[in-house]
């Protein structure tokens, strides 16, 4: 970490002058030209002023810093933040939350803020399963719901492939052989992993995946409905559909209702996420894969705080639970 003395030396001023400038007390005591040079030098060197009292410098703050990337304003944040707050509270720690909105400059500011507050550990939380940039100056940091662009940082993610296999196996065990997949046309990691596992599971069951039964919809309701319609408004429609997420499953429900297709008697539907605002409010309630956001956050925070992270960094995958409700049933006779 860059020190005040290093900033002063690089800016060609005394340590006292640098301190006055960076503490906002230089007016009338240091020329504005010099002050600008000191601030520019501090920015260039990545200097972070300690926001706490000098006497705290060598003490732990017992604070978990959470650096979110468009996380705190999403429904998926609830379980993660709940786990972080609960685990920290039980271990006698406090939590400082910040969210960069996924913007690089805001992320840099958030990093500086967390460092200035001298948080002891940092949880870098991603909105979805993705690769994230972890600033090189951060230590005692781990990635929640993603993985880092650094080899020395632990990341935790859902086991997307195992979850998709579980979902499709559930449908196969109910006797379904013609299974559709409503997905998205997007390079997101989870989309590719779930689709690959869907196709692999069918092949392992002796079923050749039918390209016509894998359809890309979208997040918006009209896009989900359009994709669902392409699967259902056909003479050889599938008897079951595995959806990329619960929102797209809701689109299948809407289209099935419009076409007079009964769920689950004529069509079984499996979602992904277990977003309760959707999954438990559909009629019938949706069978879906529950993302382990709470478990991942709880595991990560407790090990960051106790210093018990795995010696080998990298990605650690957490299992998803199949939540069996009333949207799946045995395949229709003769299907």
């Amino acid at each position: 970490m860059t020190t005040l003395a290093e900033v002063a030396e690089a800016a060609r001023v005394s340590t006292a002058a640098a301190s006055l400038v960076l503490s906002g007390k230089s007016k009338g005591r240091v020329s504005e030209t010099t002050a600008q040079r000191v601030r520019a030098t501090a920015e260039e060197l990545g200097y972070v002023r300690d926001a706490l009292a000098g006497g705290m410098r060598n003490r732990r703050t017992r604070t978990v810093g959470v650096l979110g990337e468009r996380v705190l304003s999403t429904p998926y944040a609830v379980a993660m933040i709940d786990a972080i707050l609960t685990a920290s509270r039980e271990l006698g720690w406090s939590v400082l939350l910040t969210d960069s909105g996924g913007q690089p400059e805001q992320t840099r500011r958030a990093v500086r803020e967390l460092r200035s507050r001298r948080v002891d550990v940092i949880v870098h939380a991603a909105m979805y399963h993705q690769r994230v940039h972890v600033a090189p100056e951060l230590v005692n940091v781990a990635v929640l719901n993603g993985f880092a662009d650094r080899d020395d940082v632990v990341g935790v993610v859902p086991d997307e492939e195992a979850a998709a296999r579980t979902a499709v196996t559930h449908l196969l065990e109910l006797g379904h052989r013609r299974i559709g997949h409503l997905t998205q046309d997007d390079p997101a990691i989870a989309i590719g992993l779930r689709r690959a596992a869907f196709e692999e599971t069918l092949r392992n069951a002796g079923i050749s995946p039918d390209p016509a039964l894998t359809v890309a919809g979208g997040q918006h309701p009209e896009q989900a409905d359009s994709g669902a319609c392409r699967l259902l408004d056909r003479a050889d429609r599938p008897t079951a559909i595995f959806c990329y997420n619960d929102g797209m499953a809701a689109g299948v429900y809407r289209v099935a209702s419009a076409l007079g297709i009964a769920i689950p008697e004529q069509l079984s539907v499996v979602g992904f996420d277990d977003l309760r605002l959707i999954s438990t409010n559909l009629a019938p309630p949706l069978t879906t894969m529950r993302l382990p956001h709470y478990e991942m956050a709880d595991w990560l925070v407790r090990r960051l705080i106790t210093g018990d992270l795995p010696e080998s960094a990298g990605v650690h995958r957490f299992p998803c639970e199949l939540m069996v409700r009333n949207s799946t049933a045995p395949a229709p006779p003769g299907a």
Side-chain angles (χ1 to χ4, degrees):
M1 181 180 293
T2 303
T3 65
L4 179 65
E6 289 170 335
V7 173
E9 181 180 0
R12 304 185 306 280
V13 298
S14 68
T15 301
S19 178
L20 287 171
V21 172
L22 298 176
S23 63
K25 301 176 181 178
S26 62
K27 188 174 182 179
R29 306 170 77 176
V30 178
S31 73
E32 184 56 30
T33 299
T34 299
Q36 289 180 359
R37 186 170 74 248
V38 171
R39 286 191 287 267
T41 302
E43 178 72 20
E44 181 181 350
L45 296 179
Y47 173 76
V48 178
R49 178 177 173 269
D50 191 349
L52 302 179
M56 289 285 292
R57 191 170 303 279
N58 296 317
R59 295 167 54 188
R60 303 186 76 187
T61 62
R62 297 178 67 84
T63 302
V64 177
V66 179
L67 172 57
E69 290 193 2
R70 293 180 294 174
V71 169
L72 303 185
S73 60
T74 70
Y76 304 103
V78 175
M80 290 191 285
I81 299 304
D82 184 20
I84 292 170
L85 292 173
T86 299
S88 300
R89 182 172 60 248
E90 289 179 358
L91 294 172
W93 284 47
S94 58
V95 176
L96 178 62
L97 299 172
T98 183
D99 197 296
S100 69
Q103 301 300 315
E105 178 55 34
Q106 292 300 322
T107 298
R108 286 190 288 271
R109 291 179 181 177
V111 167
R112 289 197 294 269
E113 173 68 12
L114 291 175
R115 291 179 65 207
S116 75
R117 300 293 176 180
R118 300 186 68 82
V119 299
D120 293 302
V121 299
I122 294 176
V123 175
H124 195 131
M127 181 177 68
Y128 56 86
H129 185 164
Q130 62 182 296
R131 181 176 183 266
V132 299
H133 172 64
V134 177
E137 63 267 28
L138 293 183
V139 296
N140 299 326
V141 59
V143 178
L144 173 60
N145 204 33
F147 56 96
D149 60 352
R150 288 167 43 184
D151 294 335
D152 61 331
V153 175
V154 169
V156 293
V157 298
D159 193 336
E160 310 280 4
E161 293 174 291
R165 285 194 294 269
T166 296
V168 178
T169 297
H170 172 65
L171 294 171
L172 290 169
E173 290 175 344
L174 289 171
H176 295 278
R177 307 293 290 176
R178 190 164 176 76
I179 303 173
H181 182 36
L182 184 56
T183 182
Q184 291 183 216
D185 186 13
D186 188 282
I189 292 170
I191 291 174
L193 292 176
R194 294 177 196 178
R195 176 172 179 170
F198 163 76
E199 295 175 349
E200 176 192 37
T201 306
L202 291 182
R203 284 192 291 267
N204 289 341
I207 302 172
S208 296
D210 184 347
L213 294 186
T214 293
V215 172
Q219 291 282 32
H220 298 293
E222 62 272 16
Q223 295 172 324
D225 291 4
S226 175
C229 192
R230 290 167 59 192
L231 283 172
L232 295 179
D233 193 13
R234 50 191 296 162
D236 59 345
R237 68 171 183 255
T239 64
I241 298 178
F242 168 49
C243 301
Y244 171 69
N245 61 26
D246 294 345
M248 302 184 83
V252 173
Y253 273 60
R254 288 189 293 269
V255 172
S257 176
L259 294 175
I261 301 171
I263 298 174
E265 293 82 4
Q266 296 173 286
L267 176 70
S268 287
V269 183
V270 177
F272 210 112
D273 291 350
D274 195 24
L275 187 59
R276 296 299 183 91
L277 290 173
I278 298 175
S279 63
T280 61
N281 284 297
L282 290 172
L286 179 67
T287 295
T288 185
M289 300 303 304
R290 187 179 69 83
L291 285 170
H293 285 144
Y294 189 98
E295 292 81 359
M296 293 190 305
D298 179 78
W299 183 89
L300 198 63
V301 168
R302 291 181 186 277
R303 279 156 182 75
L304 272 170
I305 288 176
T306 61
D308 192 30
L309 283 173
E311 292 185 6
S312 59
V315 182
H316 296 259
R317 294 173 177 80
F318 278 66
C320 302
E321 181 182 1
L322 175 64
M323 309 298 293
V324 179
R325 299 193 178 99
N326 297 330
S327 68
T328 51

